[in-house]
């Protein structure tokens, strides 16, 4: 045997050597950076934060933009309500499911008709609408405004779109043609962004993306995003507890702010002033004036960072532009962090992380890379061997020698496991073994009720055959017989659960689910009969016993799973379905038939197989009779098509 040493010895030597070679230079480089490096690291973190912020903001708006663009192409939205209401509502609800940040989707029409579908996920939306507890959507409809039978309703739907409640809204003063989003789209003839402004139905500040319908520019479809959704993207506390972030529009007004108090003031102010963003107080953040001055500097046309003096303290400011397909042009994301916080935080990271963790991490990575290269080949072979064992590929495979003792030991253990599982598979259904040794840990579930198709077989006059032939001849014939039936059962997706003397118990739809398990059972029974007939023809010529076989087939519910004591389990099925299949097999003797099936089997597969009715029969041990049919063969394609 070749030279080998324990893995821990190799790993220890490599890790110690790596630490000695790398820790001292890295520690020296960490100390040499100083304050400038701390500020640089802070600025880099701010840039990454701004990118994440912009990406979240842009993703939210882009989803809304794409949803509106898609909706503007849908022909069912062109017609005026109440036409195509069901398809309109389904489309809007699907948009809300795919754009979780949206509060509502709506369409306005040139005759003043209006359709709005509102998501009631937010508690404030639910309170404003006084929505029922089980409601998931609200639908506001205004139609036939100029007719006596005007429609003005508010309906509430549950998550399955079932109607929970419907209210008649007498006030029809709301007119989409007067809303800013409708007027802007009709005026410009293209997709626009509007807001923040206060919505008519929810009375909440919102951002809107709206677009004209293709083919009718006076039909406008729009989507609303609540301002608090935007505010939730602005959390900058990962950089510093005193860091703040906000979004400014092209007119230098606040759109959203990371400070919840400031955001509440903005929402309250917009709720009181229908004029929208122009009512914003510029004094909500003391950095606004300085930031707006920077924004007008051509050097910051594409964003950037700068240091500012604010109220006697120095700050680092990061500005980044935002746009979504030309919408919300001029908006920018701003992050403001006190410089002292960046330096203090960076120094703490240098002292605590760089001096201790950096050396160990880097050394550990290097050691791991080196070690993985040395052991990857042997470990890969072991992994492949384990996968083969999991797939019940129990053929002997040679393993190359490894210089690591533990790997050689594991290879020996896998070889022993392969042999043990191979022997185990001879006594337990193969699919059950596969699930027991499954590396995903699925295993065999506890006994549960499910539909199965069950087949029982039996050899006619087996006792007489045993008397007429030597035990060796009987065992040899029976072994060939069971091997034949077992292979046919597996070929047809069945699981051989048990051998009961000269009988065989086969089951479908457990443990592997099969949609057409009844058809599989019928085909298997026919294939088994044909194979046994062919084997008997050969046995007659060789003088071996002729094994005439009878089959019973039934489908229905049964309890399937592992049964037995805590120390010994058996995978099987129990219930009336199993008993009926066994009784059907025994009835063949009375009717001089080979394959008998129950009424449920015939009803399920009548289009695919030929049956002969034997009428209702009283089975032993059952109170009610069972319809019994003889399975005679499978229909050809042309017969089925008739």
């Amino acid at each position: 045997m070749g030279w080998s040493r324990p893995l821990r010895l190799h790993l220890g030597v490599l890790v110690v050597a790596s630490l000695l070679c790398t820790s001292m230079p890295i520690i020296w480089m960490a100390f040499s950076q100083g304050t400038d490096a701390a500020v640089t690291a802070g600025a880099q973190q701010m840039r990454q934060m701004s990118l994440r912020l912009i990406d979240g903001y842009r993703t939210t708006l882009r989803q809304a933009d794409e949803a509106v663009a898609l909706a503007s192409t849908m022909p069912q939205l062109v017609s005026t309500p109440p036409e195509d209401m069901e398809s309109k509502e389904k489309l809007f609800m699907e948009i809300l499911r795919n754009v979780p940040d949206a509060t509502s989707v709506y369409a306005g029409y040139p005759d003043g008709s209006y359709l709005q579908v509102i998501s009631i996920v937010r508690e404030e939306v639910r309170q404003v609408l006084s929505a029922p507890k089980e409601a998931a959507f609200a639908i506001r409809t205004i139609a036939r405004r100029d007719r006596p039978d005007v429609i003005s309703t508010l309906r509430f739907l549950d998550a399955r779109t079932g109607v929970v409640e419907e209210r008649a809204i007498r006030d029809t003063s709301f007119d989409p043609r007067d809303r800013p989003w409708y007027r802007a789209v009709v005026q410009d003839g293209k997709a626009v962004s509007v807001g923040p402004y206060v919505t008519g139905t929810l009375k909440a500040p919102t951002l809107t993306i709206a677009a004209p319908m293709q083919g009718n520019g006076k039909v406008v479809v729009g989507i609303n995003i609540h301002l608090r959704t935007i505010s939730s993207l602005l959390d900058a506390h990962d950089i510093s507890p005193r860091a703040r972030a906000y979004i400014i529009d092209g007119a230098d007004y606040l759109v959203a702010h990371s400070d919840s108090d400031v955001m509440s003031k903005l929402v309250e102010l917009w709720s009181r002033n229908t004029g929208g963003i122009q009512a914003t107080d510029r004094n909500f953040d003391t950095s606004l004036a300085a930031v707006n001055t920077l924004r007008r500097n051509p050097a910051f046309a594409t964003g950037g960072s700068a240091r500012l003096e604010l109220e006697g303290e120095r700050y680092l400011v990061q500005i980044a532009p935002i746009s979504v397909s030309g919408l919300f042009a001029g908006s920018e994301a701003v992050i403001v962090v006190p410089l002292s916080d960046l330096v203090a935080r960076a120094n703490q990271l240098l002292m605590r992380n760089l001096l201790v963790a950096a050396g160990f991490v880097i050394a550990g990575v290097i050691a791991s890379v080196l070690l993985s290269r040395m052991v990857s080949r042997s470990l890969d072979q072991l992994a492949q061997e384990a996968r083969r064992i999991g797939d019940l590929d129990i053929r002997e495979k040679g393993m190359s020698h490894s210089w690591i003792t533990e790997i050689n030991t594991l290879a020996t253990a896998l070889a022993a496991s392969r042999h043990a599982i191979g022997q185990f598979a001879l006594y337990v259904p193969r699919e059950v073994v596969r699930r027991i040794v499954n590396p995903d840990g699925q295993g065999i579930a506890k006994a549960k009720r499910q539909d199965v198709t069950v087949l029982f077989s039996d050899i006619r006059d087996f006792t007489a055959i045993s008397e007429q032939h030597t035990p060796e001849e009987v065992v040899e014939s029976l072994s060939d017989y069971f091997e034949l039936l077992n292979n046919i059962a597996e070929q047809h997706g069945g699981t051989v659960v048990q051998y009961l003397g000269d009988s065989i118990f086969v089951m479908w739809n457990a443990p592997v689910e099969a949609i057409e398990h009844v058809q599989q059972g019928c085909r298997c029974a026919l294939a088994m009969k044909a194979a046994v007939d062919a084997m008997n023809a050969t046995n007659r010529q060789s003088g071996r016993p002729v094994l005439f076989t009878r089959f019973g087939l039934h489908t229905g519910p049964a309890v399937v799973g592992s049964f037995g004591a805590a120390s010994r389990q058996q995978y099987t099925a129990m219930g009336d379905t199993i008993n009926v299949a066994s009784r059907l097999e025994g009835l063949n003797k009375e009717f001089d038939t080979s394959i008998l099936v129950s009424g449920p089997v015939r009803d399920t597969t009548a289009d695919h197989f030929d049956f002969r009715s034997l009428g209702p029969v009283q089975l032993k041990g059952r109170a009610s009779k069972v319809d019994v049919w003889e399975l005679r063969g499978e229909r050809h394609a042309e017969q089925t098509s008739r």
Side-chain angles (χ1 to χ4, degrees):
M1 181 177 289
W3 180 88
S4 66
R5 289 293 183 271
L7 178 61
R8 62 179 180 272
L9 177 61
H10 298 282
L11 183 60
V13 172
L14 287 173
V15 170
V16 171
S18 298
L19 290 176
L20 291 176
C21 294
T22 60
S23 60
M24 294 306 296
I26 292 176
I27 292 175
W28 177 84
M29 291 176 62
F31 271 113
S32 68
Q33 298 303 315
T35 304
D36 290 340
V39 175
T40 301
Q44 178 64 27
Q45 189 178 7
M46 289 177 65
R47 282 192 291 271
Q48 294 175 352
M49 168 68 186
S50 66
L51 291 175
R52 292 195 301 270
L53 189 158
I54 292 170
D55 185 63
Y57 183 67
R58 183 178 292 140
T59 298
T60 299
L61 298 181
R62 184 185 293 115
Q63 288 178 339
D65 185 32
E66 292 174 351
V68 169
L70 176 62
S72 67
T73 65
M74 296 300 171
Q76 63 265 41
L77 295 182
V78 176
S79 60
T80 303
E83 296 183 17
D84 299 320
M85 287 295 289
E86 183 177 356
S87 60
K88 290 183 174 69
E89 293 172 1
K90 286 183 178 179
L91 173 62
F92 283 174
M93 284 187 283
E94 187 64 25
I95 289 176
L96 289 177
R97 292 188 183 100
N98 289 285
V99 186
D101 293 324
T103 55
S104 67
V105 187
Y106 47 83
Y109 295 85
D111 66 345
S113 295
Y114 181 67
L115 176 64
Q116 180 183 26
V117 178
I118 305 168
S119 172
I120 317 184
V121 175
R122 293 179 175 274
E123 185 60 31
E124 59 265 29
V125 174
R126 185 177 295 275
Q127 292 178 359
V128 169
L129 298 178
S130 300
K133 181 178 179 180
E134 61 273 21
F137 299 97
I139 300 178
R140 177 76 167 100
T141 306
I142 300 176
R144 299 171 180 168
R145 182 184 296 273
D146 300 327
R147 292 171 53 178
D149 57 342
V150 60
I151 297 175
S152 180
T153 61
L154 180 64
R155 287 185 296 131
F156 295 94
L157 279 62
D158 58 22
R160 297 182 178 179
T161 68
V163 177
V164 177
E165 180 183 339
E166 182 170 350
R167 303 171 187 169
I169 307 298
R170 295 184 179 180
D171 182 12
T172 59
S173 60
F174 175 83
D175 193 329
R177 296 169 294 187
D178 298 332
R179 303 305 293 171
W181 50 271
Y182 186 90
R183 294 198 305 268
V185 170
V186 172
Q187 178 181 340
D188 296 345
K190 62 180 181 179
V192 300
S193 59
V194 182
Y197 72 98
V198 178
T199 59
T201 302
L202 301 180
K203 308 301 181 184
T206 186
L207 296 175
T208 289
I209 296 177
M213 288 296 301
Q214 293 184 8
N216 190 341
K218 292 187 177 182
V219 177
V220 179
V221 61
I223 188 167
N224 283 346
I225 300 174
H226 198 288
L227 276 182
R228 290 197 182 276
T229 299
I230 304 301
S231 177
S232 65
L233 301 172
L234 301 176
D235 187 6
H237 284 86
D238 287 344
I239 300 177
S240 165
R242 295 193 294 164
R244 56 191 187 269
Y246 50 84
I247 294 175
I248 309 177
D249 73 350
D252 296 344
Y253 288 98
L254 275 176
V255 174
H257 200 285
S258 61
D259 190 305
S260 59
D261 292 335
V262 174
M263 196 64 208
S264 296
K265 292 177 181 178
L266 285 173
V267 171
E268 181 181 358
L269 186 60
W270 284 318
S271 299
R272 295 199 310 264
N273 297 274
T274 58
I277 193 67
Q278 287 72 18
T280 301
D281 190 334
R282 294 176 183 266
N283 296 321
F284 282 156
D285 194 299
T286 56
S287 65
L288 272 174
V291 168
N292 286 332
T293 301
L294 281 177
R295 296 174 67 204
R296 287 188 286 272
N297 188 334
F300 287 88
T302 58
S305 60
R307 300 187 186 189
L308 295 177
E309 185 81 23
L310 299 173
E311 299 178 340
E313 187 174 6
R314 294 187 63 81
Y315 287 81
L316 189 62
V317 178
Q318 178 73 40
I319 303 175
I322 305 172
S323 65
V324 182
S325 301
L327 301 177
F328 297 96
S331 297
E332 290 183 314
V334 181
I335 302 176
V336 182
V337 183
L339 203 58
S340 59
D341 288 4
L342 291 178
V343 174
R345 185 176 178 84
N347 284 336
Q348 290 177 1
L349 291 175
L350 287 173
M351 294 299 295
R352 184 180 60 189
N353 296 333
L354 290 178
L355 295 180
V356 179
F360 286 103
V361 170
I362 295 175
V365 169
I366 295 175
S368 298
V369 170
L370 293 176
L371 184 62
S372 65
R373 289 178 179 176
M374 290 185 288
V375 302
S376 60
R377 180 178 179 182
S378 297
L379 291 178
D380 184 65
Q381 290 180 348
L382 290 175
Q384 293 179 7
E385 178 68 6
R387 283 192 292 269
R388 284 193 292 267
I389 293 175
D391 293 335
L392 294 190
D393 181 1
I394 54 178
R395 295 171 295 177
E396 294 293 332
K397 300 286 184 179
M399 286 289 295
S400 61
H401 173 74
S402 173
W403 46 264
I404 297 178
T405 302
E406 285 81 356
I407 292 181
N408 290 328
T409 302
L410 182 57
T412 302
L414 282 176
S417 299
R418 183 201 310 113
H419 178 75
I421 292 174
Q423 294 298 311
F424 183 39
L426 296 177
Y427 299 93
V428 180
R430 183 172 293 266
E431 184 58 33
V432 175
V433 176
R434 181 176 286 108
R435 294 199 174 199
I436 292 175
V437 302
N438 192 319
D440 294 334
Q442 295 178 357
I444 296 298
K446 294 182 179 180
K448 65 178 182 179
R449 182 183 180 91
Q450 67 182 90
D451 287 335
V452 295
T453 297
V454 179
L455 179 145
F456 277 91
S457 73
D458 186 59
I459 299 175
R460 188 180 69 190
D461 299 327
F462 183 74
T463 301
I465 294 174
S466 300
E467 292 177 351
Q468 297 170 6
H469 296 80
T470 65
E472 291 78 10
E473 290 177 334
V474 172
V475 169
E476 183 179 1
S477 297
L478 201 58
S479 296
D480 294 341
Y481 169 83
F482 280 143
E483 179 68 16
L484 179 65
L485 296 191
N486 186 83
N487 291 337
I488 294 175
E490 290 185 351
Q491 291 170 8
H492 289 81
T495 298
V496 178
V497 180
Q498 281 181 304
Y499 296 104
L500 307 170
D502 61 315
S503 301
I504 186 171
F505 171 18
V506 187
M507 181 167 58
W508 284 265
N509 204 37
V512 179
E513 294 184 359
I515 297 177
E516 299 181 347
H517 54 92
V518 183
Q519 294 185 31
Q520 289 177 324
C522 291
R523 291 192 180 95
C524 180
L526 292 171
M528 285 182 173
K529 181 181 183 304
V532 171
D533 290 344
M535 185 183 73
N536 286 334
T538 303
N539 288 350
R540 290 189 185 94
Q541 297 177 359
S542 60
R544 298 177 65 182
V546 176
L547 309 176
F548 293 100
T549 307
R550 299 174 296 209
F551 303 92
L553 194 66
H554 181 47
T555 186
V559 178
V560 183
S562 297
F563 297 84
S567 60
R568 182 181 177 87
Q569 298 280 307
Q570 180 180 7
Y571 183 82
T572 187
M574 301 179 67
D576 184 63
T577 298
I578 314 303
N579 298 332
V580 170
S582 177
R583 297 285 188 269
L584 288 173
E585 177 274 319
L587 280 178
N588 282 289
K589 182 177 182 181
E590 179 178 337
F591 291 102
D592 193 26
T593 53
S594 296
I595 306 175
L596 292 182
V597 304
S598 64
V601 172
R602 186 264 176 188
D603 294 340
T604 304
T605 62
D607 294 337
H608 302 278
F609 299 90
D610 287 326
F611 298 90
R612 180 172 68 94
S613 175
L614 299 177
V617 177
Q618 182 70 51
L619 298 182
K620 181 180 180 181
R622 295 187 94 253
S624 59
K625 294 184 178 182
V626 175
D627 286 335
V628 178
W629 299 77
E630 180 187 11
L631 175 61
R632 309 188 69 174
E634 185 170 4
R635 292 187 178 184
H636 298 294
E638 58 271 14
Q639 291 176 306
T640 302
S641 62
R642 294 174 188 169

